[in-house]
Amino acid sequence: MTSAADTAPAARKPKRDRTHYLYIAVIIAVAAGIAVGLAAPEFAQELKPIGTGFVALIKMMISPIIFCTIVLGIGSVRKAAKVGAVGGIALGYFMVMSLVALGIGLVVGNILEPGTGLAVTDAVKDAGHAQIDAEAKNTTEFLLGIIPTTIVSAFTNESVLQTLLIALLAGFALQGMGSAGQPILRGIEHIQRLVFRILAMVMWAAPIGAFGAIAAVTGSAGLEALKSLAVLMLGFYVTCFLFVFIVLGALLRAISGLNIFSLFKYLGREFLLILSTSSSESALPRLIAKMEHLGVSKPVVGITVPTGYSFNLDGTMIYMTMASLFIADAMGTPMSLGEQIPLLLFLLVASKGAAGVTGAGLATLAGGLQSHKPALVDGIGLIVGIDRFMSEARALTNFAGNAVATVLIGTWTKEIDKDRVNQVLAGQLPFDEKTLLDDDHDGPSEDHLEVPEQGGEKELAKA
């Protein structure tokens, strides 16, 4: 027993060292991508498929990870009411924070007025209209789209919410089966281990994906676009920074007693991954694994994180607010406060379900303006050149908002192990980068489990 305990930390140490080098390689790849993008922009744009391919590899893992996490979390909880309470609190919180983000963007946008003085040419108008998605869905179509054609098709489509629905149904069904459902739960647990192990293997391609993505973004935008729209970009970055570290930081400290810098240090590799791929979805599977490792229960993580990726888009809210005001000023038709608020409330609804991938914010903005204020669509072309860079801050803010939301909702529902949180953030319980799972920890919901025989089997296996 003693020798096993002594050898376990020694075995984990090289794993952490190897992944440490991996993320150093990502930083080097990002720097190299920027250099190539500036030196050879046309060649750099041809590297875009490399970044796209890496993000696609990550996205293919999202549905099975969400399914396994939610089914294991809900299937092991005794009372279904607890799951409903978590979902209700999460949706209420998401709506409030979306309104707060809209309000902050509204204030900053009206103060900066960054679009004043810009000219809208015919080329700009054409670029703006090109962003409109002919297949854009209204609210009714979006809600009906949550229902998959078949149970299996939920795993083949890119809709996180379809997977969430099937996982909730399966989790409640297994919960109702009682002891008869335990073999199925154990089977899903093994599938989860397999999926996370595949994800850990895919992560070794991160430096290559980061290089291709950053090179393409830098090459397509160029310095001129950045210079001409620097005010909007910097204003957006500063607004996101203030929202994350003042609003979210204050909430986290007041409700959970945690320092937001400690939490973000723990999630540093995920932030780097998002920065290099411009996609918050690239870090979704790792956020689920890390929040469970942190000490938040499986049901809270399984419901809050996937739902938040569709309904808790704080960065997207700020972006839509500032971009709308910027376009209105650039078109020479600044909106009054009475015009701004209805438009932004419409965009609040239109943005729900927008994917956390590169370009989704711009497409949602274009569709929202086309439906509510068509005259402004011509000006969308003004921000096409810098949208890729703004999507970085959008994705980082969305990710930060969902990480904080998971901790807050875990605190409100008392589904968080605070002692474990302190140990993890202090570095005493390092995250296993090879399996992305904890073999010896079932989270704070352990008292609610109906499967005590599983714990016994684990102890026997260890012995």
Side-chain angles (χ1 to χ4, degrees), residues 43 49 220 225 306 320:
F43 171 72
S220 62
M320 288 188 174

Side-chain angles (χ1 to χ4, degrees), residues 190-210:
H190 289 305
I191 294 174
Q192 184 189 47
R193 293 178 188 278
L194 171 64
V195 172
F196 272 120
R197 183 60 66 96
I198 295 173
L199 176 64
M201 294 164 58
V202 168
M203 289 307 302
W204 285 97
I208 301 173

Side-chain angles (χ1 to χ4, degrees), residues 23-324:
Y23 286 92
I24 290 176
V26 170
I27 295 174
I28 296 172
V30 168
I34 293 173
V36 171
L38 294 175
E42 292 184 2
F43 171 72
Q45 291 180 53
E46 295 177 0
L47 299 176
K48 184 179 179 180
I50 299 176
T52 304
F54 174 71
V55 174
L57 283 172
I58 299 290
K59 288 178 66 177
M60 77 177 183
M61 311 302 300
I62 291 177
S63 288
I65 287 174
I66 289 175
F67 179 80
C68 292
T69 301
I70 294 177
V71 171
L72 288 173
I74 296 176
S76 302
V77 176
R78 286 180 181 173
K79 295 183 179 179
K82 180 191 295 183
V83 178
V86 170
I89 292 172
L91 289 175
Y93 170 81
F94 295 159
M95 187 57 65
V96 171
M97 292 312 297
S98 293
L99 290 172
V100 170
L102 278 177
I104 291 175
L106 194 67
V107 171
V108 176
N110 279 291
I111 292 174
L112 291 181
E113 297 184 346
T116 306
L118 288 178
V120 181
T121 64
D122 290 337
V124 167
K125 292 180 181 179
D126 292 340
H129 285 281
Q131 301 303 315
I132 299 174
D133 186 357
E135 298 180 358
K137 298 179 180 180
N138 58 34
T139 304
T140 303
E141 291 172 332
F142 165 69
L143 293 174
L144 290 175
I146 297 175
I147 305 173
T149 306
T150 65
I151 289 180
V152 179
S153 67
F155 297 95
T156 58
N157 293 334
E158 293 186 359
S159 174
V160 171
L161 294 180
Q162 288 188 0
T163 306
L164 181 64
L165 174 64
I166 296 300
L168 287 170
L169 293 175
F172 285 125
L174 286 170
Q175 188 183 77
M177 290 172 65
S179 59
Q182 298 314 312
I184 301 175
L185 282 173
R186 283 195 287 271
I188 293 175
E189 184 178 0
H190 289 305
I191 294 174
Q192 184 189 47
R193 293 178 188 278
L194 171 64
V195 172
F196 272 120
R197 183 60 66 96
I198 295 173
L199 176 64
M201 294 164 58
V202 168
M203 289 307 302
W204 285 97
I208 301 173
F211 172 75
I214 290 294
V217 168
T218 308
S220 62
L223 289 177
E224 291 306 315
L226 305 185
K227 290 177 183 177
S228 62
L229 300 172
V231 175
L232 175 63
M233 285 178 59
L234 291 175
F236 179 59
Y237 291 160
V238 170
T239 305
C240 289
F241 181 87
L242 295 175
F243 175 80
V244 169
F245 289 100
I246 294 180
V247 177
L248 295 182
L251 275 174
L252 189 65
R253 170 65 76 178
I255 296 171
S256 300
L258 299 179
N259 186 320
I260 197 167
F261 292 100
S262 299
L263 179 63
F264 287 175
K265 180 182 178 182
Y266 171 63
L267 297 171
R269 293 180 174 182
E270 287 65 46
F271 280 113
L272 176 59
L273 182 63
I274 293 170
L275 186 65
S276 61
T277 61
S278 221
S279 168
S280 58
E281 279 197 353
S282 63
L284 188 155
R286 288 179 60 88
L287 179 62
I288 289 176
K290 278 205 161 181
M291 287 293 103
E292 287 186 9
H293 175 75
L294 183 65
V296 184
S297 71
K298 282 180 180 290
V300 170
V301 173
I303 293 171
T304 304
V305 174
T307 309
Y309 263 69
S310 290
F311 290 92
N312 189 36
L313 305 174
D314 300 327
T316 303
M317 292 294 97
I318 296 172
Y319 167 82
M320 288 188 174
T321 307
M322 297 186 66
S324 299

Side-chain angles (χ1 to χ4, degrees), residues 351-368:
S351 69
K352 299 310 177 188
V357 297
T358 303
L362 185 64
T364 305
L365 175 65

Side-chain angles (χ1 to χ4, degrees), residues 320-452:
M320 288 188 174
T321 307
M322 297 186 66
S324 299
L325 298 180
F326 169 83
I327 291 169
D329 290 341
M331 296 288 293
T333 56
M335 293 184 289
S336 65
L337 190 62
E339 293 176 304
Q340 292 173 18
I341 292 177
L343 171 62
L344 297 176
L345 290 177
F346 176 81
L347 289 173
L348 172 67
V349 176
S351 69
K352 299 310 177 188
V357 297
T358 303
L362 185 64
T364 305
L365 175 65
L369 291 179
Q370 174 70 12
S371 301
H372 195 77
K373 207 167 181 66
L376 296 182
V377 174
D378 289 346
I380 291 177
L382 287 168
I383 59 175
V384 170
I386 62 165
D387 179 71
R388 300 294 183 182
F389 286 93
M390 295 179 72
S391 71
E392 308 272 356
R394 241 185 359 242
L396 290 169
T397 305
N398 290 341
F399 179 82
N402 285 312
V404 171
T406 305
V407 175
L408 294 180
I409 293 168
T411 303
W412 285 324
T413 57
K414 298 180 180 178
E415 288 292 313
I416 187 170
D417 186 337
K418 293 186 177 180
D419 290 335
R420 182 177 176 87
V421 170
N422 293 329
Q423 287 180 312
V424 170
L425 295 183
Q428 298 171 5
L429 294 174
F431 181 69
D432 189 339
E433 291 283 352
K434 187 171 183 180
T435 64
L436 308 186
L437 288 168
D438 296 315
D439 291 333
D440 56 349
H441 178 68
D442 291 323
S445 61
E446 202 171 54
D447 295 337
H448 307 288
L449 297 180
E450 292 184 333
V451 285

